[in-house]
Amino acid sequence: MKYIMDAQIQQIKTWLGIGSINIFGLPMSGKDTVGVQLAEKLGAKFLSSGMIVRAMEKATGQNITGNGKLMPSNVFYEWVLPYFEREDLWKYPLVLASIGRWSGEEDEVMSVAKNSGHTIRAAVVLQLSDQDVVERWEAAKLLGDRGLRADDADPQVFQTRITEYHEKTLPVLQRYQELGLLVSVPANGTREQVLANVIEALANFASHTNNFIPEL
C-alpha cells in the first residue's frame, strides 16, 4: 500500500511541477488538515485563505468574517493574492485551501497564480453533506479541539458559513468543472483515508490530463 501511495505521490509531483492545487469543501470538511498533509507529501507550501484572513484581522483589529460571511472580494484581493508573489514560494508547488471562495474570484486567482508561475492544475472538492459537517461541528465542539473561533461557538454563524458555501462557492466549483479542473473526493472517512482518497484521485487526474492547462 505504501509503495502504491509513494508511486502516486511521485506521479503528482511530476505532473504538478511548481503549480497549485486548490482544495474546497464545506466548513469542517478537512480542507486545512488534508492540505497540510498533502503539502508535506508533495514538498509543497501550504496557503490557507482562512488562516491568512484571520491573521490579517488580528493584525488590523478588524472582524470582517466573524459573522460567518465571506470577506468582500476587494479585501480578499488585497490580503490574500499577494502571497502568490512571495519570493520564498517561488521554487515550490502550492497547496491552497479555499483561495477564492466567492463566485467571480476564481478567474482572478487563476490569473495571478499563473502569472506567478504557480498555475492552478486542479481544484479538489472534499465531498460531505450538510448533515455530515454539522455532526462534525457538534463533535468538535464537545471535544474542544477547534479553538475559540466564533463560528465554532455560535450555531447561527456556523449555519451562515454553510449557506455562504452553497450560494457563493458552488458557482466557483462549477467554473473549475467547466475548465476541466475539478476533482471530487469523498471526505467521510478518517483523516488518513481522506488523504489517501485525495492522492489517488489526483494521481488519476494527472494521468488523464498530463500537461493540459485550460485557457481562461
Side-chain angles (χ1 to χ4, degrees), residues 92-140:
Y92 295 93
L94 303 179
V95 174
L96 315 172
S98 291
I99 303 292
R101 288 185 283 183
W102 196 327
S103 180
E105 293 176 351
E106 67 278 3
D107 284 345
E108 185 69 19
V109 169
M110 285 187 280
S111 177
V112 170
K114 183 178 181 179
N115 290 340
S116 67
H118 300 293
T119 299
I120 293 180
R121 303 299 308 277
V124 172
V125 55
L126 301 177
Q127 291 285 10
L128 284 177
S129 69
D130 290 6
Q131 184 61 37
D132 287 333
V133 298
V134 169
E135 289 175 0
R136 283 191 179 187
W137 174 78
E138 290 172 343

Side-chain angles (χ1 to χ4, degrees), residues 185-207:
V185 178
N188 53 359
T190 66
R191 293 176 179 180
E192 292 77 17
Q193 288 169 337
V194 175
L195 177 62
N197 291 345
V198 169
I199 290 171
E200 181 179 10
L202 282 171
N204 289 336
F205 183 77
S207 69

Side-chain angles (χ1 to χ4, degrees), residues 143-184:
L143 294 171
D145 68 350
R146 286 265 296 178
L148 298 175
R149 288 170 50 188
D151 50 50
D152 293 328
D154 187 331
Q156 185 173 351
V157 172
F158 186 74
Q159 184 58 54
T160 297
R161 293 180 66 207
I162 293 175
T163 301
E164 289 282 277
Y165 177 84
H166 286 293
E167 293 181 353
K168 297 175 180 176
T169 305
L170 286 185
V172 172
L173 300 180
Q174 183 177 355
R175 172 64 171 152
Y176 280 116
Q177 185 172 35
E178 290 169 354
L179 292 171
L181 296 176
L182 193 66
V183 179
S184 182

